[in-house]
Amino acid sequence: MSLTYLLEYESPIGTVVLASDGERLCGLWFEGQRYFQDKLDVRLGHPGEHLGERDVIRGPQARRTPGISAACDWLDAYFDGTPSPTLPPLALRGTPFQEEVWRELEVIPCGTLTTYGDVARAIAARRDDRTRVSARAVGAAVGHNPISVIVPCHRVIGSTGSLTGYAGGIWRKTWLLEHEGVDLSRLKVPAT
C-alpha cells in the first residue's frame, strides 16, 4: 500500500492543499479549485477511486516528509517576496503531452509572462519532427496543471493580453502576478 501525505497550507490568497508521495510533491491546489478532486485522485495514482483515510497521512507528520517540507519552504519564500529559483522535488503525472507542457511552464521566470502560443512554439521547436503544437491544446494542458503556483501556469496569458482562465480563480492569478511585480495595466482582466 502506498501512502499519500496531505497538508493544508495557509497562504495569503487562501488555503492550499499540498499532496505528496513522501519524497516528491504531486499536487498543489487551492481549496475548492476546479478539477481539485479529479486531480487529487488521478495525480496520486488512484484514478477512479477516492483515497481511503487509512491511506492518507495528514498534518504535522505530512509536513515532515521531504516533498511537502520542501514545498512549504518554497511557498514561504515565494509569499515573502524572495522566490527560490530551485523548485522542490516534483512528481508531475499526466499524459506525455501534458507533462511536456508543464515542464515548459517550469522555466518561465518569476515576474514574466508568456502566451499559450509561445509555449506551443517552444515545444514544437524542441521536437525532432517539428510537429506543430496547438495553442488550444497547450491551454487545455495548462488548465489541468496539478501543481499551481510552483509550476507557474498563472504566468501564461492569451495572445491578445487577456488573463484567461485560471483554475484557482482569475482574482488569484491577478494577485500572483501583481505579487511578482507584473504590470497589469496593459492586460485585459476578465470581469468576475
Side-chain angles (χ1 to χ4, degrees):
M1 166 180 66
S2 63
L3 294 174
T4 300
Y5 299 86
L6 297 176
L7 181 77
E8 290 185 351
Y9 176 94
E10 295 303 324
S11 83
I13 52 177
T15 302
V16 172
V17 177
L18 301 171
S20 172
D21 61 9
E23 296 301 315
R24 299 169 302 164
L25 188 67
C26 302
L28 186 158
W29 308 279
F30 290 100
E31 197 169 64
Q33 136 177 358
R34 199 171 13 165
Y35 312 121
F36 172 74
Q37 188 63 52
D38 292 341
K39 287 181 181 180
L40 183 60
D41 294 340
V42 172
R43 300 300 179 243
L44 297 177
H46 306 283
E49 63 183 65
H50 293 283
L51 298 173
E53 285 303 313
R54 63 190 167 92
D55 302 335
V56 177
I57 306 288
R58 299 176 188 270
Q61 188 175 352
R63 174 66 169 91
R64 289 189 293 271
T65 64
I68 288 182
S69 178
C72 287
D73 292 345
W74 191 95
L75 289 168
D76 288 345
Y78 176 83
F79 287 119
D80 284 344
T82 55
S84 171
T86 304
L87 299 180
L90 305 176
L92 291 165
R93 297 185 180 120
T95 67
F97 179 72
Q98 286 174 326
E99 291 177 11
E100 191 174 19
V101 170
W102 299 334
R103 282 191 301 275
E104 189 65 31
L105 299 181
E106 290 178 21
V107 300
I108 304 169
C110 186
T112 62
L113 300 174
T114 192
T115 68
Y116 296 97
D118 290 338
V119 173
R121 285 185 286 283
I123 291 169
R126 276 200 317 280
R127 291 183 171 177
D128 292 337
D129 62 2
R130 302 283 190 220
T131 306
R132 185 172 154 85
V133 175
S134 158
R136 280 196 176 157
V138 166
V142 169
H144 285 83
N145 171 21
I147 303 179
S148 295
V149 184
I150 293 175
V151 177
C153 53
H154 61 279
R155 296 178 189 152
V156 184
I157 62 172
S159 62
T160 63
S162 176
L163 293 182
T164 58
Y166 184 65
I170 289 293
W171 75 271
R172 283 192 179 107
K173 183 172 188 167
T174 302
W175 190 98
L176 292 166
L177 293 174
E178 287 176 337
H179 177 68
E180 293 179 8
V182 173
D183 177 8
L184 301 181
S185 64
R186 294 182 315 228
L187 301 176
K188 298 172 191 162
V189 180
T192 54

